[in-house]
Amino acid sequence: MVGAVPAGPEPGADHRRTGDVFGPDFVLGAATAAYQIEGAADADGRSRSIWDTYSHTPGRIANGDTGDVAADHYHRLGQDLDLMASLNLDAYRFSISWPRIQADGTGPGNPRGVDFYSRLVDGLLERGIAPVATLYHWDLPQALEDTGGWPNRDVAARFAEYAALMADALGDRVPTWTTLNEPWAAAYLGYASGVMAPGRANGAEALAAVHHLNLAHGLAATVLRERTAPSTTISVTLNLHAARDGGPGGPEAVERVDAIANGAFLGPMLRGAYPERLLADTAHLTDWSFVRDGDAALIHVPIDVLGVNYYSTVTVRSWDGRGERVAADGHKPSAASPWVGSDEVVEFLPQPGPTTAMGWNIAPEALEQVLVNLAEAFPALPLMVTESGAAFTDVVTPDGAVHDDARRDYLHRHLVACARARERGADVRGYFVWSLLDNFEWAHGYDKRFGIVHVDYETQRRTPKDSALWFAALARDRVLGAPGPGLRSRS
Ligand code: FCB
């Protein structure tokens, strides 16, 4: 559905004006997620999510880190809103913590939890920043996991109820909604490889989770459509995998990965059916009987924008069964594979650098190609890059500055990729940096810093890095500029 993304040289740096290539309405924003920044784990009636349980399980997270405090955003809302305004953001993409709204994932909304997001939305609007609200960025209420989690169909119905609560509470002020962030990660990393919450490892259950996440998306999109103004933009964010052919059996391996990673979501959401390839490749694990009559229509409902998260590529080939299978797919190594049904068949090869601190290869040309391939596959659907960014080992100078030239260069190159995709016909409407703040990077804890704003976790002091100053100038002047030395923070 996204197809193969050939390896190729990155075109040279591009110095054009964003106003020329993106148009004045192109959205420049930053993104975060609730569990990664909010902290305040017990505040105001919030209950545990699967990430609280997972992060408190010894051995799951680097250094035993948890999101209990994180960047303490919940208690620093006003300061963080002012920070966003100082960076000239057009929009801010945040996620709502389901267990703040419904402690047990069911029943009426918790007014104190709702109030936090209401104040966030009002604060954004007062500052001229457009809110982009994501309903689910992986923090399922633990109480729903205890009923079976996403492999249990009932969770999709609970999600639709939660969507209705939020639509009623914020629908009058939030212009753009995203149902799910990266259902790929929620299903396959959460339930197949177990390197993310809830940490289960069962391929068949992961496929049931895929379906129920798709169903949850469709039900929530319908609820949002019914309960918000006609002008409301409804979207979903997928992390589409850009797969490259890595030699013997490469095309077959690309097809498999494309079906599991991309077609499993794009198919039902945008075409009304799962790819035959996916059903065939997983037939030895499940008969897909969890898909009921009528589900296809519930999932295949119109959306207004497709959100695309992009970080790097994978390079694959067929495994000949000899030697040790190479599994350099960029995800945390695990005994069980997230590549359900293809784990014994596909190899993921190490890729040429340069790489970020995550070990992910930097390949902006693949972002361009993903956007172009999507535009060809779904011509009428606008696209939005909802996450793009990089972790690097930041060095804080004695006066607190961070000269993160590599991150600025990364962002610049990926914005150029968006511009080029637009020139090639892709209707790319915006770009959100991952992330506004350094934060809790899931299994990597606080070791990996993705923020354009540095967070000192001892003092909670925020310091814009050079990349933030560069991005702020871009958002103000709409001049893409050269990726050269640029602005310096302090020293
Ligand atoms: C994405 C997640 C986001 C962040 C980045 C680095 O997969 O959506 O929360 O962790 O990766």
Side-chain angles (χ1 to χ4, degrees), residues 135-155:
L135 286 171
Y136 188 72
H137 201 126
W138 307 350
D139 43 1
L140 184 72
Q142 180 62 42
L144 292 184
E145 175 61 21
D146 295 342
T147 70
W150 284 110
N152 172 9
R153 181 182 178 93
D154 184 56
V155 172

Side-chain angles (χ1 to χ4, degrees), residues 243-270:
R244 290 171 164 170
D245 173 353
E252 156 95 4
V254 166
E255 269 187 39
R256 280 178 171 269
V257 165
D258 193 35
I260 304 169
N262 305 328
F265 304 99
L266 291 172
M269 289 179 183
L270 299 180

Side-chain angles (χ1 to χ4, degrees), residues 33 36 137-138 181-182 309 311 360 387 434 441-442 450:
Q36 294 182 275
H137 201 126
W138 307 350
N181 176 74
E182 298 192 4
N309 289 358
Y311 292 91
W360 296 345
E387 285 182 28
W434 183 269
E441 178 46 38
W442 309 114
F450 275 89

